[in-house]
Amino acid sequence: MTSAACLAIIQDIFSSNQFVKHCGILIDEVGCGWSKLHMAISGDVHTNLTGFVHGGALSTLANTAVGVACCTVGARTVTLNIVTDFIGNLQAGDTAWAEAKVTHRGRRTIVLTAEIYDDARNLLAKTMASMYVKGADDRIPAKW
């Protein structure tokens, strides 16, 4: 499988996710066991009362990134646990980037890490997630 073919399949899968669409999350790149996504920060959608991005928006980006990374190893998953440490912040008009990677692939669980950063690659948040494997997606092999 090529990265381009996997990306097209995963973009198709997530095209029906209305919450991801509402948040404006776009899937940019994938490889076997990793993903890269971004989200342009909108003052109407992503910011809190102080004008900075809401932690929940960054958590949503991280959660989506780890879900996409699970897809790259042919797994259909749901989140068991996700922990995010916030380090920096953004304002409307900025872009948040997320990179996630699989650190352990078991039969029933997948453990991943994700980092969120800004355009200058300043670290904004670090995430660790555990995902439950509900099944397989036969269009994407576990290893490629």
Side-chain angles (χ1 to χ4, degrees):
M1 164 153 289
T2 67
S3 293
C6 185
L7 178 62
I9 292 167
I10 292 172
Q11 286 174 329
D12 182 58
I13 291 168
F14 279 82
S15 69
S16 63
N17 186 315
Q18 295 304 311
F19 185 62
V20 169
K21 284 166 112 175
H22 172 74
C23 291
I25 297 172
L26 298 175
I27 305 165
D28 298 299
E29 296 178 52
V30 296
C32 187
W34 67 269
S35 67
K36 182 176 180 180
L37 291 70
H38 80 277
M39 178 176 69
I41 305 303
S42 164
D44 295 334
V45 176
H46 303 109
T47 57
N48 60 24
L49 295 173
T50 64
F52 288 93
V53 69
H54 192 284
L58 294 181
S59 291
T60 296
L61 177 60
N63 196 24
T64 305
V66 298
V68 170
C70 288
C71 288
T72 71
V73 294
R76 291 184 303 111
T77 60
V78 294
T79 306
L80 284 171
N81 185 51
I82 190 164
V83 176
T84 300
D85 293 319
F86 299 101
I87 299 160
N89 214 323
L90 296 172
Q91 293 180 304
D94 294 332
T95 300
W97 296 86
E99 292 182 9
K101 66 180 179 179
V102 172
T103 59
H104 168 76
R105 169 67 155 106
R107 287 183 310 119
R108 286 286 171 224
T109 61
I110 300 175
V111 178
L112 306 97
T113 59
E115 292 186 348
I116 300 174
Y117 52 92
D118 64 14
D119 285 328
R121 292 205 55 94
N122 295 308
L123 187 63
L124 303 174
K126 289 186 73 97
T127 296
M128 184 168 192
S130 299
M131 308 294 277
Y132 178 74
V133 179
K134 291 187 58 87
D137 186 326
D138 295 335
R139 296 174 291 177
I140 303 172
K143 294 180 181 178
W144 49 278

